[in-house]
Amino acid sequence: MSFHLDTPSKVSIVEVGPRDGLQNEKTPLTVQDKVTLIDALSNTGLRRIEAGSFVSPKWVPQMANSDAVLTSIARQQGISYSALTPNMRGLTDALAAKADEVAVFGAASESFSQKNINCSIEQSIERFIPVIDAAKAASVPVRAYISCVLGCPYEGEVSPQAVLDVSKTLLSLGCYEVSLGDTIGVGTPKKTSALLSLLLSQLPANKLALHMHDTYGQALANVLIGLQHGIASFDASVAGLGGCPYAKGASGNLASEDLLYMLENMDIDTGIDLQKLIKVGHHISVKLDRQNGAKAGRALLA
Amino acid sequence: MSFHLDTPSKVSIVEVGPRDGLQNEKTPLTVQDKVTLIDALSNTGLRRIEAGSFVSPKWVPQMANSDAVLTSIARQQGISYSALTPNMRGLTDALAAKADEVAVFGAASESFSQKNINCSIEQSIERFIPVIDAAKAASVPVRAYISCVLGCPYEGEVSPQAVLDVSKTLLSLGCYEVSLGDTIGVGTPKKTSALLSLLLSQLPANKLALHMHDTYGQALANVLIGLQHGIASFDASVAGLGGCPYAKGASGNLASEDLLYMLENMDIDTGIDLQKLIKVGHHISVKLDRQNGAKAGRALLA
């Protein structure tokens, strides 16, 4: 078995800690706490930061202050601060708060779509169309998240074809990138590779990102498979912020520090300063009174 | 970039929790506790269990009861219970305790060899020769561990050529397998792949095993690279037992459960029952009053 490791030489990381991470932390943060976190992240070299969500506060109270957060951060040139916008109301608020980028979020599993956003996959796409159109009219790029691409907490297996169908639809509507979410972290290298092989037979690698959860410790191995397929955009959460709502006590998001440690030591350029990122991860872990979920963070701070 | 994932269809796991793991835990266990752990591991389908170490108790007090442990466990047919034997005295004791297999341990870094076993690499090899010869005379297989194959806490970078040299020497002396240890967990896929490319240019894959530490969260990604190179023997520690003596508070050994979760979901046969292994990991974590270091364990128990 002769093997040669081939990966992109440059990778873009989307820091999702302030949104996807904090949304799943039990300790609520004030506007100022969130602004402090985002401003610190802005000084690490990150170029894409998910800063908030304009979802009804009835559903996601942790994100009720996204408006104030987005208007209070010290914006830096070259950094895109993004926000989730499930509908027109959310988009209007996000644009008013000057989000540089917005995101819609769908699923590859019908049951998850119903339970998470109360509609079928098809209905969710119908809802996204005016949001995407209005964002484009305002010259604001739209990213798309697809949940449950490697498994669903309600259905179990999810067909790669379903992921391909939703991805193609969202890209054809004008989303610039699809972030493939392993929402419950059940992906392993073989499944991830099979999914990417199918998607990349019809879609270019630069339209896809991976959003891996580390619930079963598999996230970085899956990222490695993504790199080997030519994927060069990955979501991660500083200090591994966020848990898994489907398995209490389990870990959730891949920690940005662990991802960056791997990329940096593979000579893959990200533009991010690992030492600075580790300090941010340490501070937010102390603030939230939780264990730092980044192993590279814990080791380098030891 | 077209990529196809190719791995062995069958993998052997060496469970090192009862030795490498417990040796680095601060809570001491009684003989009965250790016997209970090993007997439980014997019922999971594992075929190779590192059960003790015949090192001077002056250096490793946690292993002082290896003799009693090895003579008290309920041995099962088809399982090899191994012990570390740094010298003739250790070998004599291990043979008396009926170890099925013994292991010598050297290093690829001169400084580490000096600090860990108080002699140069060359001197360590000289010491191993009579041990290996006597074990062979007793028809007991000898495994070799090599520390610091991807980095050293004292020297930093370690040359792949040094790892190749020690590996060749130990195999030529009669060790049946060399376990390549990333003692401080600094390995990343690019380095691991480069090391294996060199080693496999001169050695067969079935003479090599990987012993990866998860100090920086990289262990499973490195294992994946090993699989892609055709390596089919991996060390791991139930519940991630053991820490990193060079970074207090950091994680150490790769958790067997996380490794098995990956292999099982890649349809790679190990013969081990994941659910049973997770229960063992849970019980020993409770016993030691520590967090379960296996993410797959925590998630499946949640």
Side-chain angles (χ1 to χ4, degrees):
Chain A
M1 202 183 279
S2 174
F3 169 72
H4 174 71
L5 179 61
D6 194 15
T7 68
S9 59
K10 200 173 167 175
V11 150
S12 171
I13 297 182
V14 178
E15 171 56 53
V16 301
R19 202 285 305 173
D20 191 23
L22 292 182
Q23 181 170 323
N24 292 300
E25 290 288 336
K26 57 181 186 302
T27 309
L29 288 190
T30 64
V31 169
Q32 189 50 52
D33 290 338
K34 289 187 184 179
V35 169
T36 301
L37 170 63
I38 295 170
D39 287 350
L41 289 168
S42 296
N43 288 320
T44 63
L46 276 162
R47 286 292 166 263
R48 302 162 83 189
I49 301 175
E50 197 186 56
S53 175
F54 291 89
V55 183
S56 165
K58 200 170 59 180
W59 301 111
V60 190
Q62 301 96 320
M63 290 291 123
N65 50 16
S66 286
D67 184 18
V69 170
L70 268 155
T71 51
S72 306
I73 52 175
R75 287 166 189 250
Q76 293 196 17
Q77 192 133 30
I79 302 184
S80 178
Y81 300 93
S82 64
L84 259 59
T85 53
N87 50 36
M88 283 304 292
R89 164 123 190 220
L91 180 74
T92 306
D93 292 348
L95 294 180
K98 302 214 182 311
D100 298 302
E101 180 181 326
V102 296
V104 294
F105 49 99
S109 142
E110 282 295 348
S111 314
F112 191 86
S113 184
Q114 288 290 354
K115 301 224 183 188
N116 196 45
I117 53 176
N118 296 303
C119 62
S120 69
I121 293 173
E122 199 181 325
Q123 288 168 327
S124 73
I125 303 283
E126 290 302 317
R127 263 187 221 172
F128 297 155
I129 292 174
V131 176
I132 295 169
D133 287 346
K136 284 196 289 187
S139 300
V140 167
V142 186
R143 196 175 193 234
Y145 287 99
I146 304 179
S147 296
C148 297
V149 302
L150 289 158
C152 167
Y154 311 113
E155 292 182 16
E157 295 288 324
V158 168
S159 106
Q161 185 62 45
V163 181
L164 175 61
D165 292 344
V166 186
S167 300
K168 283 167 81 170
T169 303
L170 289 166
L171 289 170
S172 71
L173 290 173
C175 295
Y176 78 90
E177 183 178 79
V178 161
S179 172
L180 304 162
D182 181 13
T183 310
I184 55 171
V186 294
T188 43
K190 190 176 175 182
K191 282 186 193 171
T192 303
S193 188
L195 174 65
L196 290 176
S197 291
L198 176 67
L199 297 187
L200 292 168
S201 69
Q202 299 192 35
L203 298 170
N206 67 7
K207 293 287 176 195
L208 301 177
L210 290 184
H211 179 110
M212 292 291 158
H213 277 223
D214 207 31
T215 324
Y216 298 84
Q218 311 291 311
L220 217 43
N222 288 319
V223 166
L224 178 59
I225 288 292
L227 290 169
Q228 293 180 269
H229 277 279
I231 304 295
S233 179
F234 298 93
D235 299 357
S237 176
V238 67
L241 290 181
C244 179
Y246 308 97
K248 295 291 169 209
S251 48
N253 281 290
L254 168 60
S256 307
E257 298 92 319
D258 293 349
L259 170 60
L260 187 55
Y261 185 91
M262 181 173 92
L263 296 173
E264 188 169 298
N265 285 286
M266 292 175 76
D267 304 316
I268 296 173
D269 182 31
T270 64
I272 305 166
D273 183 319
L274 178 58
Q275 297 298 334
K276 286 185 181 171
L277 191 63
I278 282 173
K279 278 187 197 147
V280 180
H282 173 66
H283 287 137
I284 190 66
S285 299
V286 170
K287 183 90 206 168
L288 291 167
D289 194 24
R290 78 196 285 282
Q291 185 188 45
N292 188 337
K295 289 189 172 182
R298 295 211 300 276
L300 287 169
L301 289 162
Chain B
M1 202 184 280
S2 174
F3 169 73
H4 174 72
L5 180 61
D6 194 16
T7 67
S9 58
K10 198 173 170 176
V11 151
S12 170
I13 296 181
V14 178
E15 171 56 51
V16 301
R19 201 285 305 171
D20 192 23
L22 292 182
Q23 181 169 325
N24 291 300
E25 291 288 336
K26 57 183 188 300
T27 310
L29 289 188
T30 65
V31 169
Q32 188 49 53
D33 290 337
K34 289 187 184 179
V35 169
T36 301
L37 171 63
I38 294 170
D39 287 351
L41 289 168
S42 295
N43 288 321
T44 63
L46 275 162
R47 286 291 166 264
R48 301 162 83 187
I49 301 175
E50 196 186 55
S53 175
F54 292 89
V55 183
S56 165
K58 199 170 59 177
W59 301 112
V60 189
Q62 301 94 322
M63 291 291 122
N65 49 17
S66 286
D67 183 21
V69 170
L70 268 154
T71 49
S72 305
I73 51 176
R75 287 166 189 252
Q76 294 198 15
Q77 192 133 30
I79 301 184
S80 178
Y81 300 92
S82 64
L84 258 58
T85 53
N87 49 37
M88 283 306 292
R89 163 123 192 224
L91 180 75
T92 306
D93 291 349
L95 294 180
K98 302 217 183 308
D100 298 301
E101 179 181 326
V102 295
V104 293
F105 49 99
S109 143
E110 282 294 349
S111 315
F112 192 87
S113 185
Q114 288 290 355
K115 301 226 183 187
N116 197 45
I117 53 178
N118 295 304
C119 63
S120 69
I121 294 172
E122 199 181 326
Q123 288 167 327
S124 74
I125 303 283
E126 290 303 317
R127 264 187 221 170
F128 298 155
I129 292 172
V131 176
I132 296 169
D133 286 346
K136 284 196 288 188
S139 300
V140 167
V142 186
R143 196 175 193 233
Y145 287 99
I146 303 179
S147 297
C148 297
V149 302
L150 289 158
C152 166
Y154 311 113
E155 292 182 17
E157 295 289 322
V158 168
S159 105
Q161 185 61 47
V163 181
L164 175 62
D165 292 343
V166 186
S167 300
K168 283 167 81 170
T169 303
L170 289 165
L171 289 170
S172 71
L173 290 173
C175 296
Y176 78 90
E177 181 178 81
V178 161
S179 173
L180 303 162
D182 181 12
T183 311
I184 54 171
V186 294
T188 43
K190 190 176 175 182
K191 281 186 195 173
T192 304
S193 188
L195 175 65
L196 291 176
S197 290
L198 177 68
L199 297 187
L200 293 168
S201 70
Q202 300 192 37
L203 298 170
N206 67 6
K207 293 285 176 194
L208 301 177
L210 289 184
H211 179 109
M212 291 293 155
H213 278 223
D214 207 31
T215 324
Y216 298 84
Q218 311 293 311
L220 216 43
N222 288 319
V223 166
L224 178 59
I225 288 291
L227 290 168
Q228 293 180 268
H229 278 278
I231 304 295
S233 179
F234 299 93
D235 299 359
S237 175
V238 67
L241 289 182
C244 177
Y246 307 98
K248 295 289 170 211
S251 47
N253 281 291
L254 168 62
S256 307
E257 298 92 317
D258 293 349
L259 170 60
L260 187 55
Y261 185 92
M262 182 174 92
L263 297 173
E264 188 170 296
N265 285 285
M266 291 175 74
D267 304 317
I268 296 173
D269 181 31
T270 64
I272 305 166
D273 184 320
L274 178 58
Q275 297 298 334
K276 286 185 182 171
L277 191 63
I278 282 173
K279 277 186 197 146
V280 181
H282 173 66
H283 287 136
I284 189 66
S285 299
V286 170
K287 183 92 205 164
L288 291 169
D289 193 23
R290 78 193 286 282
Q291 185 189 44
N292 187 336
K295 288 189 172 184
R298 295 211 300 276
L300 287 168
L301 290 162

